[in-house]
Amino acid sequence: MTTLALDATPGPARRTLAAFAGNKLALTGALVLLALLAFCFLGPLIHPTDQIHTDLSQANLAPGAGHPLGTTDLGYDMLGRLMHGGRTSLEVGLAAGVLATVFGTVYGAVAGYFGGWADAAMMRVTDAALAIPALFLLVVVATIVTPSKPVLILVIASVAWLSPARLVRGEALALRDRDYLHAMRLMGGGGGRAVFRHILPNAVGTVMVNATFQIADAILYVAYLSFLGLSLPPPAADWGSMLSAGITYTQVGHWWLIFPPGLAIVLVVAAFHCIGDGLRDAFDVRLENRGRS
């Protein structure tokens, strides 16, 4: 009977998944995100449009037959523009968020584990960068270099890694004095093994939760830069540049140039935040169960 009871006990991964699945808000966020991904990456196959050549004879048409969301001031189909712009926003945001999380996680883990002068020097760099407003840094860098997808990814990641670095550094400080790390050092294990085989795997829950927020922030940074005119050169588009282009037409009632990209930004950011909250609760459940065992 004892063996059957142990076999029936779900593992940590299954408990985490069950906790996440039980969070309706997190599931809603995941479904919204999947729908937006399908809309941006599969939508152009269903609703193909020309997003390269302008057609001023079709400019500023209200939503109707042939153009469900109307057209832009240059004659682009707004629905197709929303799909292509969303693809850029999501690609840059996801790549920048992941890159910032990976670099910041390793940086913080190294600083926290080794401590001493290395930690002091590395964290002073982080503190100095955090003292400067992120948007100011982004604007300065974006005006120096020519915007492109790789450049935007690197520019946004260059300011977004600071938060995960400080977060993981705190986790590393709490983990470095555990008994299993002392045993590993006595057996001849080095710092690299400690960081990549012990510190980072034990901080994976914190990292995953933070990654969702970093991606959401990166998507907002893309919108900020594009709204300020530091977006990819035409005919490329993203949701921020669409907002910037449409803002001049609000006084004449062209709502279809503003609401769709604005709503898309709100939905994708809210979806990532809901997923992050769900992951945080799910990993909290796993840690509580670990503490009871």
Side-chain angles (χ1 to χ4, degrees):
M1 294 293 292
T2 303
T3 303
L4 291 176
L6 289 174
D7 292 341
T9 302
R14 185 169 296 181
R15 286 198 298 268
T16 302
L17 183 60
F20 182 84
N23 189 319
K24 294 182 179 179
L25 196 60
L27 282 180
T28 302
L31 291 175
V32 170
L33 179 59
L34 288 175
L36 286 172
L37 288 171
F39 173 77
C40 294
F41 290 91
L42 300 180
L45 301 177
I46 301 172
H47 182 70
T49 57
D50 184 0
Q51 296 296 323
I52 298 178
H53 303 97
T54 61
D55 185 0
L56 297 181
S57 65
Q58 299 291 312
N60 291 325
L61 296 180
H67 301 289
L69 289 181
T71 61
T72 69
D73 57 331
L74 295 176
Y76 295 123
D77 178 79
M78 189 64 183
L79 180 59
R81 199 72 171 165
L82 195 65
M83 295 174 183
H84 286 271
R87 182 181 297 179
T88 300
S89 294
L90 290 171
E91 286 176 350
V92 175
L94 284 167
V98 171
L99 180 61
T101 300
V102 171
F103 180 79
T105 297
V106 175
Y107 188 95
V110 170
Y113 174 75
F114 288 100
W117 66 267
D119 177 43
M122 294 173 74
M123 284 301 102
R124 294 300 76 76
V125 172
T126 305
D127 292 339
L130 284 171
I132 306 173
L135 187 57
F136 174 77
L137 284 176
L138 288 173
V139 170
V140 170
V141 176
T143 53
I144 295 173
V145 297
T146 302
S148 65
K149 278 188 181 181
V151 168
L152 282 179
I153 291 169
L154 291 175
V155 166
I156 294 172
S158 67
V159 299
W161 67 271
L162 302 170
S163 176
R166 290 189 62 84
L167 189 65
V168 175
R169 182 245 185 184
E171 290 283 320
L173 287 173
L175 292 170
R176 68 177 182 173
D177 292 325
R178 297 290 177 90
D179 291 339
Y180 59 85
L181 281 174
H182 287 302
M184 184 273 300
R185 284 191 288 266
L186 289 174
M187 294 172 64
R193 182 180 180 84
V195 169
F196 290 100
R197 295 294 297 274
H198 297 284
I199 299 291
L200 293 181
N202 280 284
V204 66
T206 302
V207 172
M208 288 182 64
V209 173
N210 183 257
T212 59
F213 299 131
Q214 289 301 315
I215 294 171
D217 289 344
I219 292 173
L220 284 177
Y221 283 142
V222 176
Y224 294 157
L225 290 175
S226 299
F227 190 79
L228 294 173
L230 301 172
S231 60
L232 300 177
D238 59 74
W239 288 335
S241 64
M242 292 172 67
L243 276 176
S244 180
I247 199 71
T248 57
Y249 293 91
T250 54
Q251 299 298 324
V252 292
H254 292 177
W255 58 268
W256 59 89
L257 300 179
I258 295 294
F259 287 158
L263 180 61
I265 294 172
V266 171
L267 285 176
V268 73
V269 172
F272 274 111
H273 278 279
C274 290
I275 293 171
D277 288 338
L279 287 173
R280 181 180 56 198
D281 295 342
F283 280 107
D284 283 345
V285 169
R286 189 184 72 171
L287 293 175
E288 288 173 7
N289 290 332
R290 181 189 297 175
R292 295 192 189 109
S293 59

